[in-house]
Amino acid sequence: MAEIVVVGSINADLTVGVARHPHPGETLLGTGGGISAGGKGANQAVAAARLGSSVAMVGAVGDDTNAEDATALLKEAGVDLSGVIIGTEVTGLAVITVAEDGENTIIVVPGANGEMGAGAVEKQKALIETAELVLLQGEIPADGFKRSVELSRGRVVINLAPVIDVDQDVLLRADPLVVNEHEAAGVLEMLGHASPDDPQKQLDALMQAGFASVVITLGADGALVAADGMSEKIDSPRVQAVDTVGAGDAFTGALCHQLVHGADIVDAARFAAKVGAFSVTRHGAQASYPLAGEL
């Protein structure tokens, strides 16, 4: 039995550097080409496990060489992978091209992640039902997302990234809903509400829509938190950033780690902001996440 069960994506990330992005039909030489572990679900699972939580992953990889790279840091962090199936599709792949000016393009091939529908989730019923907290993102099919929430008997945390079309009653189980400003706008629109431009007003609107608690992440500016009739601004530590990839996932994993260990949502968010800030001082996503003693 795990404290946290993450139902989500597992990807292999292929990163290539270029001087500039190619024009249609053009061939350019690039650098890099290494494969690293990614996927929002896997990232968040590693973040929580490295901090000391007992974490299990429910997801899918392919029967290919990328599967080993995609799960290497999950294994290293001690995440229970008994709920990870071998699908018929390839391991999910993100192809990331980064230009010298910092602009990037990302093409995501869902692969085996697309097989995590309701039927696949149902087979992990025992794992999900016994979790203290079930954590979800938007990188698996909506019916698998829905079934995960239905099976959960504990706390449900939803980081709806990307914003996918899910039933309102399922989405409102989130406690908290964790989104950035763009995702907050998408959720409000999906629920039939106009989205204000101001993050504080977005926070208020999401609470009025019926969520028990909401966290809006603001990158280097920290986060906004609302619950039980209160709202608070959480500041981020000021650091020299070298790589911001996966920082939001570090935040969400750390938030869940704190919640299962008794912290209230404000204290959990303060801690999570420190973990997110720490992660941007090192390269990579999962590889940048701190162990409890490093923070």
Side-chain angles (χ1 to χ4, degrees):
M1 187 175 76
E3 294 169 323
I4 299 171
V5 170
V6 181
V7 186
S9 57
I10 304 171
N11 285 345
D13 290 351
L14 169 62
T15 304
V16 177
V18 290
R20 60 172 176 79
H21 294 295
H23 300 299
E26 183 182 19
T27 300
L28 296 178
L29 294 177
T31 59
I35 296 287
S36 59
K40 296 191 73 65
N43 289 352
Q44 293 172 14
V46 168
R50 282 192 165 192
L51 292 167
S53 283
S54 168
V55 182
M57 184 81 210
V58 172
V61 293
D63 184 14
D64 54 37
T65 56
N66 283 342
E68 185 172 346
D69 290 321
T71 57
L73 292 180
L74 286 163
K75 293 174 183 175
E76 183 181 287
V79 176
D80 176 0
L81 299 183
S82 62
V84 175
I85 65 170
I86 305 298
T88 60
E89 298 288 336
V90 298
T91 299
L93 179 67
V95 181
I96 306 164
T97 304
V98 183
E100 288 181 353
D101 62 3
E103 287 291 333
N104 64 71
T105 63
I106 304 175
I107 300 172
V108 177
V109 181
N113 294 313
E115 298 181 54
M116 290 307 299
V121 168
E122 184 70 31
K123 293 177 181 178
Q124 308 303 329
K125 177 179 179 179
L127 200 58
I128 296 169
E129 284 183 336
T130 56
E132 292 181 38
L133 183 153
V134 173
L135 172 58
L136 294 141
Q137 312 79 31
E139 292 186 332
I140 62 170
D143 63 330
F145 182 106
K146 178 181 180 180
R147 188 61 185 141
S148 301
V149 175
E150 292 172 343
L151 289 173
S152 175
R153 295 179 179 176
R155 188 169 195 159
V156 174
V157 177
I158 295 174
N159 173 218
L160 201 63
V163 176
I164 59 172
D165 189 8
V166 294
D167 292 349
Q168 179 172 328
D169 58 338
V170 170
L171 188 56
L172 288 174
R173 280 281 307 276
D175 183 19
L177 172 74
V178 182
V179 286
N180 63 24
E181 296 171 68
H182 305 295
E183 293 150 3
V187 170
L188 284 167
E189 290 167 7
M190 185 168 61
L191 296 176
H193 302 276
S195 176
D197 293 331
D198 178 67
Q200 180 62 54
K201 292 179 179 178
Q202 289 180 324
L203 186 76
D204 296 339
L206 286 167
M207 291 298 291
Q208 290 168 10
F211 288 99
S213 59
V214 176
V215 177
I216 297 182
T217 57
L218 304 172
D221 290 328
L224 295 171
V225 179
D228 301 322
M230 58 71 64
S231 66
E232 187 158 338
K233 172 71 165 59
I234 306 298
D235 292 326
S236 173
R238 310 310 296 176
V239 298
Q240 183 63 48
V242 299
D243 186 349
T244 61
V245 172
D249 294 332
F251 180 101
T252 302
L255 182 81
C256 292
H257 164 73
Q258 285 285 287
L259 290 175
V260 297
H261 288 91
D264 65 38
I265 193 167
V266 172
D267 287 342
R270 287 197 184 105
F271 178 87
K274 294 177 183 178
V275 173
F278 183 100
S279 76
V280 307
T281 66
R282 303 200 292 202
H283 289 284
Q286 294 176 25
S288 74
Y289 299 161
L291 299 167
E294 291 180 300
L295 192 61

